[in-house]
Amino acid sequence: MPDNLEASFLKEVRKLKQKQRKILMWRVGLILLLLILVSGLAYSCYRGFSILFAGNLTTGLATLILSILGLFLVFSLLFFLIRNRQDIEHRSSPLLTSISWQFSRLKQVKRKYVLGWGLLLIALIYQSNPSFIHQPINNFIDFVVHKPAPPTLNSPWPWKDHAAIHPVVANMPANIETTIESVAKYIAQNESDPYLQVKAIHDYVVSRVTYDLDVLKTGIRPSQDAQTVFRTHKAVCEGYANLFMALGRSMGVDVVYISGKIRRDLAPIDLIPKLFRLLNSDYDWTNHAWNAVKILDNWQLVDTTWDDGNSSEFGSAYSTNYLMIPPQVMSISHFPKHLNWQLLQNPEDYNTFENKPVITPQFAIDKLRLISPTEYQTKVQKTAEIKIATYPSYQKRIVALFTKVQTTESSSWDFPSSGDFLEGDKNQQIQQQNIGRCRSQMNAGTETQIACQFPDAGDYQVFLFSLEGKAKVDFLGQLKFHVLTR
């Protein structure tokens, strides 16, 4: 064979091998992608998650199970083709023969190519959807390192004996507040009770930090790291949670940062200028951050942002409503990105979260129970009926106001803290604000029945309050009713 002919032949052989190698690499990449998907789905089911997050999408558990079964069948078929390649080649189907031949060649692929393609695929997945990588990793860290589980010990919540700011924080000398570490050391030296230590950290954050409303109004978001918040005394929820975590860890307390969502109808939309909302229509205003802290080997939940009266629609200027709050109460308003941090025996999915009636911690503090309705939004014909179970010695009155959703942007932020607004002689003032009043009646001292007569068809928001004389009003919760055509 002439030299030039042999060289040309070898060149074409090399080209053919390179082409076949590229094709094989693409197939290896697809298989790795499928393996990643299967691993993520299998891990989610193993952890007992009700849903799997992928960006802004949620997949139901039934869909996950069906997907896993489908992928299992696909891989079973591929395994069968490879293992029975010789038998298949004797059959008349060229397609099956080609498939089995291609997959039997996977063992010839060099490991460096497999690793390279795998890293490239992971990079592409991360670039397109970081949460697809973050969530399995964070869930794995939670499981291995933190191992979040429902608490077996009750915290001191509600804090009736410690309703004021901790004396250590209230009387802290100015020269102590120079660094995060010096504040943490001072608290640890002057308070030995582990629960009260955490309360002191909570009280320090709530009393020293003011919610930065300019972030909501302008969209300009300063750094929210703990040092910046400690220095400027301003933050949004992220900064509150970071400072709480930094103080706790400086004391040797196990604290984690939790990100997630709050209920859509609890987001402070009305504090954000309409123009800014329009310009950022794709932004998720329900994003929120809070903390979990481990005390006596039990995880407890804390939200310093919502306990600060400058940032929360609940409570007064200072509150302990969200300090080591029971998980079943916290889960009404807070939905963590990683479901482990619900700290519930049976984690709930997002649809269940949004469909629950919105009741505040005060509802549980007053030992009330909502009999009906059982969902947040209910369809009615003319009148909405609400039943709340109390107890014989309950001294407060429960009242309700309603407003039409389409015509107003009313929320619990709009109502004053004085009981005068809810008294009968103020009906004219209520009507001027497009707010209606429901009829409330206590039966046998153990049940309050509320009837809301709606004037027109449409969607209505009902706000529940408890009255203790005229001086004290507590927001209990809110419900939605869709009034059908009359």
Side-chain angles (χ1 to χ4, degrees):
M1 180 182 294
D3 292 342
N4 59 346
L5 181 59
E6 182 179 0
S8 298
F9 176 77
L10 292 175
K11 183 177 180 180
E12 292 300 322
V13 169
R14 284 194 296 270
K15 286 183 178 180
L16 181 61
K17 288 184 177 180
Q18 289 176 355
K19 184 178 180 180
Q20 291 175 342
R21 190 178 295 115
K22 288 181 180 179
I23 294 173
L24 198 56
M25 288 302 100
W26 279 107
R27 290 169 179 164
V28 170
L30 290 175
I31 291 175
L32 287 175
L33 177 59
L34 289 174
L35 287 174
I36 292 171
L37 290 173
V38 171
S39 300
L41 294 172
Y43 177 74
S44 297
C45 286
Y46 169 73
R47 294 293 297 138
F49 294 164
S50 298
I51 57 174
L52 173 70
F53 286 98
N56 293 324
L57 300 177
T58 57
T59 303
L61 182 59
T63 306
L64 288 179
I65 294 174
L66 291 175
S67 300
I68 293 174
L69 290 175
L71 290 171
F72 175 77
L73 292 175
V74 170
F75 278 101
S76 297
L77 176 61
L78 296 178
F79 180 76
F80 173 79
L81 292 174
I82 294 173
R83 188 167 186 175
N84 299 277
R85 172 173 168 264
Q86 292 182 349
D87 292 339
I88 294 173
E89 287 177 348
H90 294 295
R91 301 179 184 271
S92 59
S93 174
L95 177 61
L96 292 177
T97 301
S98 175
I99 293 175
S100 65
W101 178 76
Q102 292 291 349
F103 278 95
S104 66
R105 297 189 61 199
L106 290 178
K107 61 183 180 181
Q108 302 175 14
V109 179
K110 294 184 179 180
R111 293 181 181 179
K112 63 179 181 179
Y113 294 123
V114 174
L115 178 62
W117 275 101
L119 293 175
L120 177 61
L121 282 170
I122 292 173
L124 290 174
I125 294 170
Y126 182 83
Q127 182 68 27
S128 62
N129 195 340
S131 65
F132 202 84
I133 302 296
H134 282 160
Q135 179 156 340
I137 293 176
N138 289 338
N139 283 338
F140 181 75
I141 292 174
D142 287 344
F143 179 68
V144 174
V145 179
H146 300 300
K147 296 182 180 178
T152 57
L153 292 178
N154 293 328
S155 74
W157 188 94
W159 297 80
K160 295 181 179 180
D161 296 333
H162 302 276
I165 292 177
H166 196 293
V168 171
V169 174
N171 304 317
M172 185 177 292
N175 64 332
I176 297 297
E177 299 184 60
T178 55
T179 65
I180 291 176
E181 291 73 21
S182 62
V183 171
K185 182 179 179 181
Y186 182 81
I187 293 174
Q189 289 175 343
N190 291 275
E191 178 56 71
S192 59
D193 184 279
Y195 287 107
L196 294 180
Q197 282 183 348
V198 173
K199 183 181 185 296
I201 298 172
H202 164 277
D203 293 356
Y204 184 86
V205 175
V206 171
S207 62
R208 299 307 196 268
V209 180
T210 301
Y211 194 86
D212 193 353
L213 292 174
D214 289 338
V215 174
L216 297 180
K217 296 176 181 178
T218 65
I220 300 174
R221 188 183 186 90
S223 176
Q224 298 296 311
D225 65 279
Q227 291 292 345
T228 300
V229 174
F230 182 79
R231 185 181 71 255
T232 63
H233 302 285
K234 280 190 172 184
V236 293
C237 58
E238 178 186 351
Y240 278 79
N242 281 330
L243 181 56
F244 181 88
M245 181 172 64
L247 285 166
R249 290 185 174 179
S250 295
M251 289 176 56
V253 179
D254 196 356
V255 185
V256 296
Y257 176 101
I258 301 176
S259 61
K261 297 177 181 293
I262 60 173
R263 297 288 288 267
R264 284 191 292 265
D265 284 357
L266 294 181
I269 299 297
D270 44 347
L271 296 180
I272 305 166
K274 291 184 179 180
L275 178 60
F276 186 68
R277 274 184 269 162
L278 291 172
L279 294 174
N280 296 273
S281 58
D282 58 340
Y283 183 76
D284 188 354
W285 302 105
T286 66
N287 289 333
H288 191 49
W290 59 98
N291 297 101
V293 55
K294 199 172 190 178
I295 309 173
L296 300 180
D297 206 33
N298 280 259
W299 284 105
Q300 305 287 349
L301 299 170
V302 179
D303 189 341
T304 50
T305 310
W306 277 27
D307 273 342
D308 184 356
N310 294 319
S311 62
S312 171
E313 61 187 300
F314 307 120
S316 58
Y318 165 79
S319 170
T320 54
N321 283 353
Y322 292 88
L323 174 58
M324 305 181 209
I325 183 173
Q328 63 271 22
V329 181
M330 187 71 149
S331 67
I332 294 170
S333 55
H334 292 59
F335 188 83
K337 185 176 180 181
H338 307 300
L339 301 189
N340 288 339
W341 290 115
Q342 289 181 3
L343 300 184
L344 298 174
Q345 292 291 347
N346 299 303
E348 299 173 341
D349 60 35
Y350 187 74
N351 289 332
T352 301
F353 168 71
E354 279 291 351
N355 287 333
K356 291 190 295 186
V358 176
I359 52 178
T360 69
Q362 189 64 43
F363 206 89
I365 292 172
D366 285 354
K367 299 179 181 178
L368 304 175
R369 181 172 58 87
L370 183 63
I371 301 174
S372 65
T374 58
E375 294 185 350
Y376 179 49
Q377 183 161 331
T378 309
K379 293 181 180 180
V380 296
Q381 289 295 335
K382 298 180 180 180
T383 305
E385 294 185 354
I386 303 169
K387 293 182 180 181
I388 300 173
T390 59
Y391 52 91
S393 59
Y394 187 69
Q395 299 296 321
K396 299 180 182 180
R397 289 196 304 118
I398 300 176
V399 298
L401 302 175
F402 67 84
T403 179
K404 197 169 185 178
V405 175
Q406 293 94 328
T407 58
T408 65
E409 292 186 351
S410 295
S411 73
S412 55
W413 295 71
D414 302 327
F415 298 109
S417 58
S418 171
D420 289 339
F421 184 77
L422 300 170
E423 292 300 320
D425 57 355
K426 299 295 179 179
N427 280 340
Q428 185 176 359
Q429 178 185 355
I430 293 175
Q431 291 172 1
Q432 289 175 355
Q433 298 191 27
N434 295 319
I435 296 172
R437 183 174 179 178
C438 305
R439 297 192 309 273
S440 179
Q441 179 180 355
M442 181 173 285
N443 298 328
T446 58
E447 182 179 290
T448 296
Q449 291 186 340
I450 299 172
C452 300
Q453 188 80 29
F454 302 116
D456 304 301
D459 292 314
Y460 289 83
Q461 194 91 42
V462 175
F463 301 94
L464 302 172
F465 302 88
S466 66
L467 295 179
E468 192 170 6
K470 292 185 179 182
K472 182 171 173 44
V473 176
D474 289 315
F475 178 54
L476 295 179
Q478 61 191 65
L479 298 163
K480 266 188 175 180
F481 294 93
H482 177 71
V483 181
L484 303 174
T485 303
R486 306 187 66 169

